[in-house]
Every structure is written in structure tokens, then in C-alpha cells.
Amino acid sequence: MIVERIFISPERGVAQEECEHITLHSGMGILGDRYFGKHTYPGQNLTLVEAEVIEQFCAAQLRTPDLSITRRNLVTRGLRLNDLVNVEFTIGPVRLRGVELCEPCILVGNNLSSASLTPAEVIKYWVHRGGLRADVISGGEIARGARIETAT
């Protein structure tokens, strides 16, 4: 159960930046990310998605695997993120709480659609597979390859 890739979006509408490590602040999110300090909705501090789900989607669509396609902050491997809703967990020294599933929106549908797959079909595929929204309980640094630990 590890963090395989890390991404931030410094501004809306720009390409994500891949990072080797990020700094998170309690209740604020990722330093340098466009959502840092925003509290529009719970779980806005950090988003996670499973590498395995991205790879399955890409294989089914005959696309080259690209772990950045969902625009989530952390791409994990070896852990079912849906099981972390309402659960506290750690990634390295950072303590987090899973808030809710990160369900797909029309932007994901539009970004991942193709000539053979409509935005609606993309959204339908990603429902309950789109990852997890989490709040930062205690901050610190998360590096690529960091272990994800749960109490269970």
C-alpha cells in the first residue's frame, strides 16, 4: 500500500505538475495546490485514486496507461480506497481522514471521452471508482513511495 505518483494543480485549467513530494498542512491541504486553504466542501484537502483502476480503464479503452488522467493528487497502489471513507489513516507522517468518495464530474467525462466513449459513459464507468476525498488531520511531507497505513 503505497503512493505511486503525486500531482498538484497550481491553477485551474493548467496541466498538473508531477511531484516527488508534497507538504500538507492540517485543515488546509497541499501547499502550492489551487485548493490550499479552501473549505468549499469537506474532503477538499486531498484527493486519491487507485492506480489499478486507472490501468483497467486504459486497458479497456485501448489507451496508453497514464496515471495522471483523473487529476487526483495521489495515485495509490495496493489499497481499496472506498474502504477508507470515515476512516483515519496515515501516509508517512501525515494523518488523514477519508471523507467521501471522489465521484466523477462532467470534466472527467469530457477529458476521458473518445470517439467510442461518450462523457456519460466515462462518468458511469468511474462512479464508485473515482477515488477518495480526504481531510488533513496532522500535516507533514508525503513523498513518492510512502507507505499508507490503516488501523485495521
Side-chain angles (χ1 to χ4, degrees):
M1 301 185 305
I2 66 163
V3 173
E4 187 155 318
R5 302 282 288 280
I6 301 172
F7 300 96
I8 64 168
S9 294
E11 297 176 38
R12 183 179 182 168
V14 301
Q16 283 188 305
E17 296 175 8
E18 186 167 1
C19 306
E20 287 298 314
H21 56 85
I22 52 175
T23 301
L24 293 97
H25 292 271
S26 178
M28 301 293 284
I30 305 168
L31 188 63
D33 190 77
R34 71 185 182 112
Y35 288 112
F36 183 77
K38 296 196 175 171
H39 302 285
T40 308
Y41 50 85
Q44 196 168 8
N45 289 173
L46 182 71
T47 58
L48 304 89
V49 66
E50 299 166 29
E52 297 88 345
V53 175
I54 296 171
E55 291 164 346
Q56 290 166 1
F57 175 81
C58 290
Q61 298 307 312
L62 304 176
R63 295 172 65 138
T64 302
D66 177 359
L67 295 180
S68 70
I69 62 173
T70 61
R71 298 191 56 84
R72 305 295 187 246
N73 301 121
L74 301 182
V75 180
T76 66
R77 187 170 295 280
L79 175 66
R80 185 76 177 122
L81 293 171
N82 289 15
D83 296 339
L84 297 181
V85 173
N86 296 317
V87 172
E88 286 189 20
F89 59 102
T90 59
I91 302 177
V94 178
R95 198 171 79 203
L96 303 155
R97 178 166 188 77
V99 175
E100 65 185 10
L101 297 182
C102 193
E103 298 293 15
C105 63
I106 191 62
L107 291 175
V108 170
N110 289 335
N111 288 342
L112 301 183
S113 65
S114 65
S116 62
L117 192 67
T118 68
E121 291 169 324
V122 170
I123 290 170
K124 184 177 179 180
Y125 177 89
W126 284 97
V127 168
H128 303 316
R129 298 181 202 180
L132 178 73
R133 295 186 185 282
D135 283 335
V136 180
I137 297 171
S138 63
E141 187 174 285
I142 293 176
R144 189 173 175 176
R147 290 197 47 78
I148 303 165
E149 304 284 340
T150 62
T152 57

